């Protein structure tokens, strides 16, 4: 269907010529785009402010000679940029002005855009208003895709059943949608049932279908089934098995403890890598780290340096995470220094990789020392950096240090860091400890900061009440405040209040 073709083209980065061939409109816009048509294309694409309508620009071209392929390029490229409202405006303008015949593929694309902009009910209305001749496999398929995307299981299955009853020529794309519906709800047995039905009906699976089938066998820990499907996929002359499929299979063998087999598939994955594929190298490096294979990690890292030239923070995070998995913090710190000297865009998610590693291995003081040194160098951590170390101290039951870290984290939660939330494990442990051991004033200070980060809850009130009860203070105002926040007293509240009586 049109929408799925758009998404596939986006992933594969198909060019304009391929787009014309897929949609059968090459003759409408072959060769170089004329200057005036390029002006139309560029003038619309440049209207990228949210909420901007492209209709005024389109109206300027009413009555002028416009190559239809250019207009469809505009729809496609706006959609790839997730500017769905504008793409829909162009599509509707093409249809309403009658500048060309609207094909079932064009209707399928428009239906999908309507669903993205106005919701699936509007897409249904659009579909229902089509003539019987216009209700083709493309438009039926587009509506099915909308149902699946919204997770509407009953409507998806009912619509799919109707498509079969009508005898529509179902393709791998149609079956992929139903498999995706089940995959998204973790019903992997159902995915495999649809897979079997598709093959029984003589429909050849595509790469996406094979991938979902292999994933389903993986989720069921059926390594034999997975390998059988992979072997079948490899036998298809027109099928290209990508590195990501092989790494997925390798990972399943690692989990099953079949390290020798995992190495076979990792080598196959590497054969599929292009020199500049940083993401592929990162996947392989991570899997070799899980296997504890330092030499292969370094070999691939050096190959990546030769092929990719420029590294981004995601590349350093991958390699740092791999050294951390191996417990080799000396190498991790060396690489971290390399990143620090090469970057102008300091991102604390990079050092956080090492902080997490230290804390997981109980080396929380090392994590604190590293973070403190970065602060002394003039770096401003993100709240999560202090939150990571706070959790490390909580796990070691060093609550005073955890409190210091948490207070630092919460004071940093301003500007672009307002989305940060502390770990529930940390806040629960901190409130329990504060209520049991600290002065009421200290508890009030902490809760005051915490209220700016997460909604007020029962645990905050219990910490405050317990601290005040221990100091012989009245808690009536706290109880009234708790009630006004619609937090009812429970058994734990009553037990805390009984401490006052005893």
């Amino acid at each position: 269907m049109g929408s799925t073709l758009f998404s596939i083209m986006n992933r594969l980065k198909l060019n304009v010529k391929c787009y014309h061939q897929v949609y059968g409109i090459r003759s409408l816009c072959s060769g170089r785009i004329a200057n005036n048509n390029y002006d139309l294309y560029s003038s619309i694409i440049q209207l990228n402010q949210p909420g901007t309508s492209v209709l005024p620009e389109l109206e300027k071209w009413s009555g002028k000679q416009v190559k239809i392929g250019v207009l469809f390029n505009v729809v496609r490229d706006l959609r790839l940029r997730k500017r769905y409202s504008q793409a829909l405006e162009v599509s509707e303008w093409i249809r309403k002005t009658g500048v060309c015949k609207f094909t079932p593929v064009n209707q399928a694309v428009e239906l999908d855009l309507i669903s993205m902009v106005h919701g699936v009910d509007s897409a249904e209305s659009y579909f229902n208003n089509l003539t019987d001749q216009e209700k083709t496999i493309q438009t039926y398929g587009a509506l099915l895709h909308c149902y699946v995307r919204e997770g509407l299981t009953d409507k998806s299955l009912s619509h799919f059943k109707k498509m079969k009853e009508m005898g529509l020529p179902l393709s791998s794309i149609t079956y992929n949608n139903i498999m995706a519906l089940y995959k998204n709800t973790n019903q992997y047995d159902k995915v495999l049932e649809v897979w079997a039905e598709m093959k029984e009906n003589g429909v050849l699976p595509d790469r996406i279908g094979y991938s979902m089938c292999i994933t389903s066998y993986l989720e069921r820990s059926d390594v034999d089934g997975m390998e059988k499907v992979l072997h079948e996929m490899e036998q298809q002359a027109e099928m290209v098995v990508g590195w990501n499929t092989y790494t997925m299979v390798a990972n399943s063998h690692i989990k099953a403890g079949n390290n020798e087999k995992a190495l076979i598939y990792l080598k196959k994955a590497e054969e599929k890598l292009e020199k500049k594929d940083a993401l592929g190298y990162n996947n392989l490096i991570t899997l070799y780290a899980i296997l504890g294979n330092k030499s292969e990690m370094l070999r691939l890292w050096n190959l990546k340096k030769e092929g990719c030239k420029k590294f981004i923070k995601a590349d350093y995070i991958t390699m740092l995470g791999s050294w951390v998995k191996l417990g080799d913090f000396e190498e991790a710190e060396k690489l971290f220094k390399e990143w620090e000297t090469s970057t102008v865009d300091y991102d604390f998610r990079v050092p956080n990789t090492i902080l997490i590693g230290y804390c997981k291995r109980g080396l929380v003081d090392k994590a604190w020392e590293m973070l403190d040194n970065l602060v002394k160098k003039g770096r401003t951590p993100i709240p999560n950096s202090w939150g990571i170390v706070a959790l490390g101290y909580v796990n070691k039951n060093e609550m005073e240090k955890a409190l210091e870290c948490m207070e630092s984290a919460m004071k940093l939660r301003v500007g672009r860091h307002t989305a940060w939330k502390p770990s529930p494990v940390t806040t629960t442990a901190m409130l329990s400890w504060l209520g049991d051991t600290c002065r009421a004033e200290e508890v009030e200070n902490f809760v005051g900061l915490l209220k700016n980060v997460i909604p007020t809850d029962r645990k905050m009130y219990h910490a405050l009440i317990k601290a005040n009860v221990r100091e012989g203070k009245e808690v009536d105002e706290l109880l009234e405040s708790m009630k006004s926040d619609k937090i009812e007293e429970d058994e734990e509240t009553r037990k805390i209040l009984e401490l006052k009586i005893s």
Side-chain angles (χ1 to χ4, degrees):
M1 72 195 73
S3 59
T4 305
L5 285 170
F6 270 126
S7 64
I8 292 171
M9 286 191 293
N10 187 20
R11 288 197 298 273
L12 299 180
K13 299 180 181 173
L14 296 183
N15 58 26
V16 171
K17 182 178 178 181
C18 292
Y19 167 75
H20 292 152
Q21 291 169 339
V22 169
Y23 278 84
I25 59 172
R26 189 177 180 205
S27 60
L28 295 173
C29 185
S30 57
R32 300 178 67 134
I33 298 175
N35 285 341
N36 65 328
N37 284 277
Y38 180 78
D39 290 342
L40 166 62
Y41 175 91
S42 61
S43 63
I44 292 176
I45 293 297
Q46 288 172 16
L47 296 172
N48 58 4
Q49 291 300 314
T52 302
S53 172
V54 299
L55 287 177
E57 192 62 37
L58 284 168
E59 291 301 329
K60 293 178 186 178
W61 293 83
S62 293
K64 295 182 182 180
Q65 186 178 3
V66 179
K67 288 184 184 272
I68 303 308
V70 174
L71 288 170
F72 285 121
N73 285 347
V74 171
V75 174
R76 178 203 63 178
D77 289 353
L78 288 173
R79 193 178 189 284
L80 294 181
R81 288 169 167 81
K82 298 184 180 180
R83 290 157 60 180
Y84 303 117
S85 294
Q86 291 181 332
L88 180 58
E89 283 184 334
V90 179
S91 180
E92 289 176 337
W93 186 84
I94 296 170
R95 174 170 52 82
K96 290 175 181 177
T97 55
V99 294
C100 75
K101 183 181 177 182
F102 226 56
T103 68
V105 169
N106 304 138
Q107 289 167 329
V109 172
E110 185 164 280
L111 188 153
D112 187 69
L113 287 168
I114 289 169
S115 176
M116 298 292 283
V117 176
H118 301 300
V120 74
D121 289 344
S122 296
E124 275 184 341
S125 297
Y126 178 91
F127 178 82
N128 291 333
N129 287 327
L130 294 173
T131 66
D132 289 343
Q133 290 73 26
E134 291 170 329
K135 290 179 180 176
T136 62
I137 183 60
Q138 286 88 359
T139 50
Y140 262 100
L143 185 57
L144 174 64
H145 182 66
C146 296
Y147 286 149
V148 170
R149 183 171 57 216
E150 296 301 318
L152 302 172
T153 302
D154 291 341
K155 282 194 171 186
S156 298
L157 296 177
S158 175
H159 191 72
F160 180 54
K161 182 181 178 184
K162 188 172 182 181
M163 291 172 73
K164 291 194 286 187
E165 290 171 348
M166 291 178 64
L168 291 172
L170 305 183
S171 67
S172 59
I173 294 173
T174 313
Y175 283 103
N176 286 351
N177 270 290
I178 299 303
M179 286 194 285
L181 178 76
Y182 287 127
K183 180 176 174 286
N184 293 341
T185 52
N186 302 322
Q187 298 183 69
Y188 299 106
D189 289 344
K190 294 280 189 182
V191 174
L192 297 176
E193 285 176 18
V194 177
W195 171 264
E197 179 186 322
M198 174 174 64
K199 297 188 76 177
E200 284 171 12
N201 291 335
V203 178
L204 291 175
D206 61 11
R207 184 176 56 82
I208 296 171
Y210 271 113
S211 179
M212 283 192 282
C213 184
I214 289 171
T215 299
S216 298
Y217 276 118
L218 289 177
E219 292 294 336
R220 295 169 74 242
S221 300
D222 185 346
V223 178
D224 291 337
M226 169 199 69
E227 288 201 317
K228 183 179 177 182
V229 174
L230 178 59
H231 181 69
E232 177 188 313
M233 188 180 182
E234 289 175 321
Q235 300 309 303
Q236 307 297 323
E238 72 285 356
M239 191 70 61
V240 177
V241 184
W243 63 260
N244 50 342
T245 300
Y246 285 124
T247 54
M248 188 165 58
V249 174
N251 191 35
S252 72
H253 279 298
I254 292 171
K255 288 178 179 177
N258 304 326
N259 291 354
E260 292 301 319
K261 275 203 167 185
L263 289 170
I264 293 170
Y265 288 110
L266 287 174
K267 290 299 179 186
K268 286 189 174 188
E270 187 177 342
E271 289 170 6
K272 297 290 183 178
L273 274 185
E274 293 182 6
K275 279 190 174 182
K276 295 182 180 180
D277 194 336
L279 180 61
Y281 279 115
N282 285 346
N283 272 268
L284 288 172
I285 288 168
T286 299
L287 290 172
Y288 277 117
I290 295 170
L291 288 169
N293 195 325
K294 186 185 296 188
S295 61
E296 284 298 286
M297 274 171 49
L298 282 169
R299 183 181 66 81
L300 287 163
W301 179 252
N302 289 327
L303 280 176
K304 183 177 170 185
K305 279 184 174 180
E306 291 172 15
C308 299
K309 306 299 180 187
K310 184 178 178 181
F311 277 18
I312 59 175
K313 58 178 171 278
D315 302 320
Y316 281 100
I317 287 172
T318 296
M319 195 63 181
L320 284 170
S322 297
W323 285 127
V324 165
K325 277 188 182 75
L326 296 176
D328 195 333
F329 289 100
E330 185 178 341
E331 287 294 338
E333 287 168 2
K334 275 187 202 173
L335 185 63
F336 174 62
K337 286 176 183 175
E338 178 186 312
W339 171 78
E340 275 195 308
T341 58
S342 67
T343 189
V344 292
D345 178 24
Y346 204 94
D347 190 328
F348 257 86
R349 286 175 292 185
V350 178
N352 279 1
T353 307
I354 303 177
L355 296 179
I356 291 168
Y358 277 137
C359 291
K360 280 186 176 179
R361 290 179 179 261
L363 304 171
V364 192
D365 287 337
K366 288 279 288 180
W368 187 90
E369 183 183 344
M370 178 183 176
L371 190 51
D372 187 53
N373 285 336
L374 290 174
V375 172
K376 287 174 181 174
K377 288 179 184 178
R379 302 295 183 188
T380 303
I382 57 176
N384 195 40
S385 302
W386 286 113
I388 290 164
V389 184
L391 179 58
Y393 278 125
V394 164
N395 290 334
K396 291 192 75 177
N397 202 33
E398 295 185 34
M399 303 306 288
E400 289 183 2
K401 288 184 176 179
L403 176 61
E404 185 180 343
C405 293
M406 274 294 287
E407 287 176 342
S408 296
M410 291 188 289
K411 287 172 183 175
L412 284 169
R413 191 181 174 272
V414 293
R416 63 192 179 96
H417 302 307
T418 54
W420 174 77
K421 305 283 185 213
S423 158
V425 173
T426 303
T427 55
T428 299
M430 293 297 304
L431 288 168
S432 176
W433 172 74
L434 284 160
D436 286 338
T437 61
C438 295
R439 293 182 293 109
E441 184 181 352
E442 291 177 293
V443 182
E444 286 168 13
N445 289 337
F446 181 82
V447 170
L449 288 171
L450 193 58
K451 282 181 178 181
N452 295 323
V453 177
I454 59 174
T456 306
D457 62 17
R458 190 188 308 277
K459 291 170 186 173
M460 294 182 198
Y461 275 110
H462 282 177
L464 289 165
I465 293 168
K466 191 180 287 187
N468 279 277
V469 165
R470 283 191 296 101
E471 293 182 9
K473 296 178 180 178
E474 291 297 324
V475 293
D476 291 346
E477 285 188 21
L478 278 172
L479 292 170
E480 281 299 316
S481 178
M482 182 173 164
K483 191 174 180 181
S484 67
D485 281 333
K486 295 182 171 50
I487 300 173
E488 298 296 325
E489 294 182 24
D490 64 359
E491 185 62 31
E492 187 179 351
T493 316
R494 287 185 281 276
K495 285 182 179 178
I496 294 170
L497 292 172
E498 285 172 5
L499 297 173
K500 182 180 179 181
I501 299 170
S502 61

